[in-house]
Amino acid sequence: MPSYNPPFEIHVHGQVLLRADVGFDQLQEALKPLWGYAGAKSLVDGAESAYEEEPGILFEPKDHMLQMCWTVRGDDDFRQSLDDMCMNLNELADQGAAIEVTFYDAEFDDEEQDRSAESRDDFMMLFVGPTPAAIMQVQRDMLVQDVVSTMERHFDAGELVGVVGEIDKLFSQRFDALVDSLEIGKPPRGTGGTGGPGGGHGGGGRRPRHLH
C-alpha cells in the first residue's frame, strides 16, 4: 500500500456464490490481494471499508456467499490486485459472477476545479467463475438485460426475441473461438474494461461512488 496520499478511492462491489466446500481460510487466502493492499494482516482486519456506512467484505457461510461493498484508498497499481483476486476467486466460485469496481478521483473537486478539467474517475466490470462458459453466461445475461431494458422503451418485449437470439449467437461464436484456440485449457481469468457490459469509462458526467 503506498505511503503517500493515494489519488483514488476505489470501491469494489459484488457478490460471488462460492462452492459449498469453501471455508474461511480458503477465502481469506483468495482475497489476500485486497486486504493485503489495504495494509491489513488478515481478512478480519482488512474487511472493514474506508467508509463506515459500507458493510465491507462479508463471508456468509450458511449461504456460501461472498458479499463485497468495500472501499480502499489506492493508486492504479490496485488493478494488479484485482487481477490476482479474480484468478483466485475463479478457483472458489460455484457459478459466474460480476464485480463492479469504481476508481473515484479523490483529488478532483466538482466545485473547485476549473470547468475544463476532467476527473480521472474510471469504472470497470470484472467477471469471475469456475469456467469460461460460466463467465460468458454472466456477461451474456447482463448484456441481454441492458439491451432489452433500452429497447423496451420503443418495442414490446415479444418483438425483441430475435435481438436476444442474435446476442446468443455472438456469445456462442466467442465460446467456439475460445475452444478452438485452446484457451479453454488455461486457468480462467476475470475480465474487465470494455470487454464486458458496463466496462470502460462512463459518459455523461462523473459517476458517483457506490453506496449499495
Side-chain angles (χ1 to χ4, degrees), residues 81-111:
S81 296
L82 291 170
D83 193 38
D84 294 341
M85 176 200 69
C86 287
M87 288 286 290
N88 295 341
L89 286 180
N90 284 335
E91 302 297 323
L92 305 183
D94 185 68
Q95 58 185 241
I99 300 172
E100 302 175 3
V101 181
T102 304
F103 284 74
Y104 187 84
D105 188 348
E107 299 175 348
F108 186 87
D109 190 308
D110 287 307
E111 296 181 357

Side-chain angles (χ1 to χ4, degrees), residues 171-191:
F171 275 96
S172 293
Q173 293 169 5
R174 175 177 290 184
F175 184 75
D176 290 343
L178 184 64
V179 174
D180 291 342
S181 67
L182 301 179
E183 289 184 10
I184 195 171
K186 300 178 182 179
R189 298 174 64 90
T191 57

